[in-house]
Amino acid sequence: MAFDPAFLDELRARLPIASVVGRRTKLARSGRNWKACCPFHGEKTPSFYVYDDHFHCFGCGVHGDVISFVMQSEGRSFPEAVEQLAGEAGLEMPRQDPRSEARSREAQSIGDVLEAAQKHYHQALFRPEGRQALDYLRGRSLNDETIVRFGLGWAGEGRGALLSALRSSGITAGQLVQAGLMRGDESGAPRGDLFFSRVMFPIRDRRGKIISFGGRTLGDAQPKYVNGPETPLFSKRRALYNLDGARAALRDPSCDLIVVEGYMDVIALAQAGFEGAVAPLGTAMGTEQLELLWREASHPVLCLDGDAAGARAALRVAELALPLLQPERSLRFCRLDPGDDPDSLIRRDGPQAMRRILDSATPLVEELYAQMSVGVGTDSPEQRAALRKRLEAAAGLIADRDLASEYRRALLDRYFAASRRQSPRRGFSGSPSRPARPAVRRSRSEGGEESGALERLRLLTALVLSHPALLGEVEDHYGRMALPQPLDDLRDAVLDWFATLTPGCDPDAATLLAALDREGMGDTARLLVAGRAGLRQSGEQGGLFAMEPIQQWWHFYGLVNLPDFVREVERDMHAALADPALEGLPEALLGRLRALERLRRGESQDDET
């Protein structure tokens, strides 16, 4: 039984060979690849290696792809192995009929036509009619070795030149239409060459076979770049330019997989020594292309222009990638200066400048926060709440729950840190802050305003430690406060823990303290809790400890940040009163209003502490 090559390629793409081999023998990482003791002959020292698309044993010589591994390890015939793997990959087995056999022959025929066309285009580049194109490529600093390596060519002036050149090889106009090299009218009759007066770039699949072409005009004609149409061999969203070359280069563990915007960027990078470069084919990056990237590298680098369009592209790819993320695969981003691309940067400043750009690549979480927060105001609670909801929604797109929790925590860490940076960090007496002593036990000997403010910050933290359910209401305010050490580190650990909780659960103090023990902060937390308990038993703070914990928290928060607290409460109250959908003030806002009134009346003599 003969199978369509496209079906077999899809089968191999959906089932990474390492996952199939790993079911029969224990694999260990060896650079970008895997190694194991050979399952086909007894050995104590591993000589069986699994690469991205094949395996090879240097001991017994056995080798092959994922299909042949199933055949040899389980004694199955080729059709049986294909059927088994298709079931695992969720692919429907193709029914063998005359039409499928005809499609297989058609695909093979198209491949032959494309190879013949590439040979013609390449030869034309070095003939007199291709002089202008050759001068253009050399003017872009490409040497002849690079031109030959990438198979660049020239499509002549005449609209029937390609058919005239290939007719002697038995190639017909109908075949050129099927291959996407000639236009067809509504009835399918040929109407002329698709590519003319253009520099030609062969597009190859991951195995190195030509599947289409791209063409660049030398004049002012639009569009500047044209790609071939969809054919049985070619789909723009399932291909990347130079994927075959990048795959070969990535066998070197030090090589980066770099995604750039265009053909010339890829070629310039390869000539400069960055051979793991690929580019999408005139369309925005899609999920199929991301999967192609992750098959070759766990953390590809997207190198985008530094202008507004590059920022939009970065955000789109970041959001597209979120549902597909796994702990072992992500993305990195690097940004060029506006007006630059890898080609122009390398020609002007050399490969070392490109190396610096790549070395500065940031992880996906950094890029995501930067793009989602750019231009977003955070002056009002509404703006901050909107940004926070957007960040949490982005983290919620990640299918892996543990990874989603980590992203939520990382994004909110940046959110709180940015909020704290927006306000000048002040000390307890109004002067610029300085590191506090590491001790957290209560001291009566310090005296003064600074000691009182520090005590209030300790009590705020102790309240959160004793009643972590408070975080559901105070997390934003608590996260933006300026705290001394070690309260600052303790607060970060508490918020990290809170970010890992399932929404709607009831957090308890014992679980929080256990988590802080694992971070080495449990003793510090217990001292704070014990200090608050001592105050309560001694009767200090008057009747304050008879209040609900949330009222206590807002009271101490207001004492430390009274001007800001007044502005926040008044702003939120006016916003609530202006909302016709609300029938009354929210309970949380009422609680803050009561705390503010108590502070204004001066009913508590907190300065005694």
Side-chain angles (χ1 to χ4, degrees):
M1 179 179 181
F3 291 97
D4 186 346
F7 170 79
L8 296 178
D9 286 344
E10 180 69 13
L11 179 63
R12 297 182 182 103
R14 290 200 185 188
L15 284 176
I17 187 171
S19 66
V20 176
V21 175
R23 296 199 295 259
R24 288 294 303 268
T25 186
K26 185 177 180 180
L27 296 174
R29 273 288 183 187
S30 177
R32 291 183 182 272
N33 307 310
W34 302 85
K35 66 180 180 180
C37 291
C38 181
F40 300 108
H41 81 284
E43 62 178 7
K44 296 182 179 179
T45 302
S47 61
F48 182 84
Y49 282 77
V50 180
Y51 303 94
D52 56 357
D53 60 356
H54 70 283
F55 65 89
H56 180 81
C57 178
F58 291 92
C60 66
V62 64
H63 63 275
D65 63 5
V66 65
I67 299 174
S68 58
F69 179 81
V70 172
M71 292 172 62
Q72 295 178 63
S73 63
E74 300 184 20
R76 297 183 181 275
S77 66
F78 184 79
E80 290 171 340
V82 169
E83 184 173 5
Q84 174 183 323
L85 293 172
E88 295 175 8
L91 285 174
E92 184 178 352
M93 284 287 288
R95 290 177 294 179
Q96 196 69 11
D97 57 34
R99 285 178 297 179
S100 64
E101 293 181 0
R103 285 193 297 269
S104 179
R105 290 193 298 269
E106 178 186 11
Q108 183 176 0
S109 174
I110 290 173
D112 294 339
V113 170
L114 293 170
E115 292 287 348
Q118 191 276 329
K119 182 177 180 181
H120 165 73
Y121 291 142
H122 187 65
Q123 291 174 345
L125 181 66
F126 293 95
R127 294 183 184 135
E129 64 263 31
R131 174 57 61 183
Q132 182 185 9
L134 187 59
D135 290 344
Y136 164 78
L137 293 172
R138 288 172 174 167
R140 296 288 295 266
S141 300
L142 300 187
N143 56 44
D144 286 359
E145 180 183 353
T146 298
I147 292 170
V148 171
R149 172 184 168 187
F150 281 88
L152 306 185
W154 170 249
E157 300 286 346
R159 290 186 177 241
L162 183 61
L163 178 59
S164 299
L166 300 183
R167 185 177 284 122
S168 61
S169 301
I171 294 174
T172 66
Q175 289 176 307
L176 292 176
V177 172
Q178 288 179 325
L181 296 173
M182 288 190 77
R183 301 179 188 275
D185 59 22
E186 294 181 359
S187 65
R191 306 192 279 120
D193 294 351
L194 175 65
F195 300 103
F196 57 92
S197 299
R198 290 181 180 269
V199 177
M200 299 300 291
F201 300 82
I203 301 169
R204 304 176 188 273
D205 64 14
R206 63 194 301 270
R207 297 172 299 168
K209 295 185 177 181
I210 298 177
I211 54 177
S212 190
F213 287 91
R216 187 197 192 281
T217 181
L218 295 181
D220 298 327
Q222 293 296 324
K224 181 180 291 186
Y225 282 94
V226 171
N227 290 313
E230 300 278 313
T231 70
L233 286 185
F234 178 58
S235 173
K236 293 179 185 179
R237 70 179 188 276
R238 296 179 180 175
L240 291 164
Y241 181 67
N242 192 46
L243 182 58
D244 59 317
R247 289 181 70 234
L250 288 167
R251 292 172 184 165
D252 179 355
S254 65
C255 182
D256 292 310
L257 178 56
I258 311 165
V259 185
V260 290
E261 294 192 9
Y263 302 132
M264 290 302 298
D265 294 327
V266 169
I267 296 171
L269 282 167
Q271 182 172 276
F274 304 94
E275 299 189 10
V278 298
L281 299 165
T283 60
M285 185 72 66
T287 56
E288 293 95 336
Q289 291 165 320
L290 285 174
E291 293 288 356
L292 284 174
L293 292 173
W294 281 320
R295 285 201 65 193
E296 312 304 334
S298 60
H299 289 72
V301 182
L302 273 71
C303 185
L304 302 168
D305 293 345
D307 55 14
R312 288 192 298 270
L315 180 57
R316 183 189 178 280
V317 173
E319 292 178 327
L320 186 70
L322 287 174
L324 308 173
L325 293 184
Q326 297 174 9
E328 67 276 5
R329 69 183 197 183
S330 187
L331 297 172
R332 292 178 291 157
F333 292 79
C334 62
R335 195 67 57 78
L336 299 171
D337 291 334
D340 252 342
D341 56 40
D343 180 25
S344 63
L345 177 66
I346 290 171
R347 282 189 283 141
R348 185 184 67 245
D349 298 331
Q352 66 278 4
M354 191 68 217
R355 182 72 267 167
R356 288 193 294 270
I357 293 291
L358 293 173
D359 289 343
S360 68
T362 57
L364 173 58
V365 68
E366 295 279 2
E367 185 70 22
L368 187 64
Y369 180 82
Q371 295 304 326
M372 297 188 82
S373 60
V374 67
V376 178
T378 54
D379 294 334
S380 71
E382 293 82 6
Q383 291 172 325
R384 291 194 297 271
L387 174 59
R388 177 170 176 169
K389 283 187 176 181
R390 193 179 179 196
L391 295 172
E392 291 179 326
L397 293 173
I398 301 173
D400 186 287
R401 290 186 61 184
D402 291 337
L403 187 59
S405 176
E406 291 296 327
Y407 260 75
R408 181 180 182 274
R409 182 174 69 176
L411 289 170
L412 290 183
D413 280 349
R414 288 157 177 79
Y415 165 82
F416 288 127
S419 298
R420 291 196 293 271
R421 286 195 299 270
Q422 285 185 341
S423 300
R425 187 175 176 120
R426 312 300 293 178
F428 305 125
S429 60
S431 59
S433 67
R434 57 184 180 270
R437 297 186 313 278
V440 297
R441 62 180 178 83
R442 182 173 179 269
S443 171
R444 303 271 308 177
S445 63
E446 293 172 347
E449 183 180 355
E450 182 171 343
S451 175
L454 177 57
E455 194 65 60
R456 293 161 190 158
L457 295 176
R458 290 171 174 165
L459 287 168
L460 278 168
T461 304
L463 277 163
V464 170
L465 295 170
S466 301
H467 307 279
L470 295 177
L471 289 169
E473 183 174 332
V474 306
E475 181 185 9
D476 187 48
H477 294 79
Y478 184 48
R480 290 186 288 111
M481 291 180 66
L483 297 178
Q485 293 295 356
L487 300 182
D488 192 22
D489 286 344
L490 186 61
R491 183 256 312 277
D492 288 345
V494 170
L495 293 180
D496 285 350
W497 168 80
F498 188 64
T500 65
L501 301 182
T502 303
C505 75
D506 187 17
D508 64 274
T511 305
L512 171 56
L513 286 173
L516 293 175
D517 281 333
R518 293 192 292 272
E519 299 295 328
M521 298 183 183
D523 291 342
T524 301
R526 288 181 177 86
L527 281 173
L528 285 167
V529 172
R532 174 176 174 269
L535 281 174
R536 186 169 186 171
Q537 292 173 2
S538 68
E540 296 188 53
Q541 303 289 332
L544 181 61
F545 284 114
M547 297 164 52
E548 292 294 321
I550 187 64
Q551 287 294 302
Q552 295 179 43
W553 200 92
W554 285 122
H555 180 86
F556 290 121
Y557 178 82
L559 285 173
V560 176
N561 304 276
L562 186 58
D564 289 340
F565 188 46
V566 171
R567 284 193 296 271
E568 290 173 1
V569 171
E570 290 180 346
R571 182 173 53 214
D572 291 356
M573 183 178 66
H574 291 315
L577 292 173
D579 187 350
L582 290 177
E583 297 181 357
L585 295 179
E587 183 60 35
L589 178 54
L590 286 172
R592 285 191 287 157
L593 277 170
R594 286 191 288 268
L596 181 57
E597 285 303 309
R598 181 183 177 92
L599 289 168
R600 283 172 166 167
R601 291 196 308 267
E603 290 181 0
S604 172
Q605 300 300 317
D606 187 65
D607 290 338
E608 295 178 5
T609 65

